[in-house]
Amino acid sequence: LCLVSLALLAETRPPLGSCAAKRASGEGAAGRAWSGIEPECRTKLEANRTAAAMRCLEGHFLEAREPGRRAGDFFTTLRKLRHDAEMITWLEQEGKVKTEVKKLYRGIYHAARPKHMHQPDKVFEVNFPEQNDDRSLWQKAHNKAIYIDPVGKEVPKKTIRAKPVALQTFEESFASSGYAVIDKLLTDGTLKKLLQFLQASTFYFYPRKDRHLMALLEDGLASPLLAQLVDGLRLSLPALLGPLPLTGARAWKADNSPLNDGVVQAPELTNSSADAAVSVLLWTVPASALNGTAAHALELRRRRDGTDDEGSCAAAGAEGTSCAEASGETVAIVKYLPNRAVLWGPGLTAEWTGPDWQSGFLQRGVHLLLTFGWTRCP
């Protein structure tokens, strides 16, 4: 996809039917996330000026998260601390952060583990006895952009590998069934860059009850690389995504540490996609990282008529069932493959039903969800 075409697309406003600007944002997780985006950046997203919106979001992110810009965050969970210590150890080995940062995180994790190992998702405060060097270093490093992989600044000339004829077939399939599965979607170079960006960047600030850490579009994911990918998708699938603005992006990183106890983790795909006209789930981590079969990784199920997904999922959790079990009939079972995209519309819900992940920092599963447009417009 040439840069000229992307620039022309960036100036194209979506039709009024996309209703991004009119969307009542209080309904559902995605709506609340949309409301949390800076208004000036939302305006650019609504106008399909994706690259400009990403620059806007990136600027606000760095203003808030660059080390030393704002007060430190002393609250965490043991599960998040375990990930952060592992990540910073890997970054130190790669020469990306200083050794004293690694020593600090590893020391704090080992000190906190005996007290919090039986409640790894309970929030606690990291206390320092005095205003010393360790406290100052933690204040500058924790939940900060201490390393954002520079590959995120790259703008590949071509992002989509799949052929136009095949992509048209997928659009027709989506129109008839409400979903599509596209293999070998991205070019090899784009896939490699995206995986590196998602694995090596310190923007997973949010511990989730599903035992994942989450990154948000407005808090780290926004980048020229992601903008190019989004516009590449919209150009390649013009009938399906062309007129729809990007309304959200989330990445979940799984826990594959001993704290997980082998429990299968399912990212909150249903809640996060409930408001979207089209949801696009991208997988980048090699299938060899799975700790089990890839055959039954994702279920797409019919949305029950007259139900609110967020409410029904909350009720399902209270009853000890999954979101999938609270939804309707299964319409597709999807195998896990890297460089596979799963697209679904508002008539379906999605839930991870695959295994957990093998140990090792680069073996942690990552799910990237992009949402386009809105459904249930006022």
Side-chain angles (χ1 to χ4, degrees), residues 333-351:
I333 295 173
V334 183
K335 180 180 179 179
Y336 180 91
L337 286 174
N339 206 8
R340 168 169 276 187
V342 185
L343 296 78
W344 65 92
L348 301 177
T349 64
E351 179 160 316

Side-chain angles (χ1 to χ4, degrees), residues 91 105-106 110 126 160 203 228 251 254 263-264 325 348 356:
L91 287 171
Y105 269 83
R106 289 174 68 91
H110 288 297
V126 177
I160 305 301
F203 45 43
Q228 193 77 346
V263 176
V264 175
E325 292 170 325
L348 301 177
D356 59 356

Side-chain angles (χ1 to χ4, degrees), residues 196-216:
Q196 183 175 327
F197 182 60
L198 294 173
Q199 287 185 322
S201 301
T202 58
F203 45 43
Y204 292 91
F205 303 125
Y206 301 96
R208 308 304 296 166
K209 62 184 179 181
D210 55 27
R211 304 188 177 200
H212 286 78
L213 296 178
M214 187 171 68
L216 298 175

Side-chain angles (χ1 to χ4, degrees), residues 70 128 130 145 155 207 249 260 274 337 359:
R70 295 186 181 180
F128 296 86
E130 56 184 339
V155 182
N260 190 43
L337 286 174
S359 61

Side-chain angles (χ1 to χ4, degrees), residues 57 142 148 228 271:
L57 290 165
H142 181 58
I148 303 299
Q228 193 77 346
N271 289 350

Side-chain angles (χ1 to χ4, degrees), residues 75-205:
F75 292 91
T76 188
T77 69
L78 190 68
R79 194 183 306 279
K80 183 179 187 301
L81 186 58
R82 172 66 169 76
H83 164 270
D84 293 351
E86 183 182 48
M87 181 170 196
I88 288 171
T89 297
W90 181 83
L91 287 171
E92 189 265 349
Q93 293 170 351
E94 297 291 313
K96 308 301 183 184
V97 301
K98 295 181 178 180
T99 301
E100 52 263 36
V101 183
K102 179 194 74 172
K103 290 181 177 178
L104 175 66
Y105 269 83
R106 289 174 68 91
I108 291 175
Y109 170 72
H110 288 297
R113 188 175 184 277
K115 182 177 180 180
H116 299 284
M117 63 182 299
H118 298 297
Q119 292 181 298
D121 298 306
K122 183 178 180 180
V123 176
F124 66 90
E125 184 176 6
V126 177
N127 292 307
F128 296 86
E130 56 184 339
Q131 182 64 50
N132 55 19
D133 290 344
D134 283 349
R135 189 180 194 280
S136 177
L137 185 57
W138 175 270
Q139 189 171 358
K140 291 178 181 178
H142 181 58
N143 280 349
K144 299 293 185 180
I146 59 174
Y147 184 76
I148 303 299
D149 197 290
V151 76
K153 297 286 189 182
E154 297 189 20
V155 182
K157 290 185 178 180
K158 182 178 181 182
T159 56
I160 305 301
R161 174 182 178 179
K163 302 298 182 183
V165 174
L167 291 167
Q168 184 177 354
T169 301
F170 291 126
E171 287 188 305
E172 294 169 355
S173 174
F174 187 98
S176 62
S177 66
Y179 75 93
V181 179
I182 306 176
D183 288 331
K184 297 181 180 179
L185 173 71
L186 306 178
T187 63
D188 291 342
T190 301
L191 177 66
K192 182 179 179 181
K193 294 177 194 300
L194 182 62
L195 176 60
Q196 183 175 327
F197 182 60
L198 294 173
Q199 287 185 322
S201 301
T202 58
F203 45 43
Y204 292 91
F205 303 125

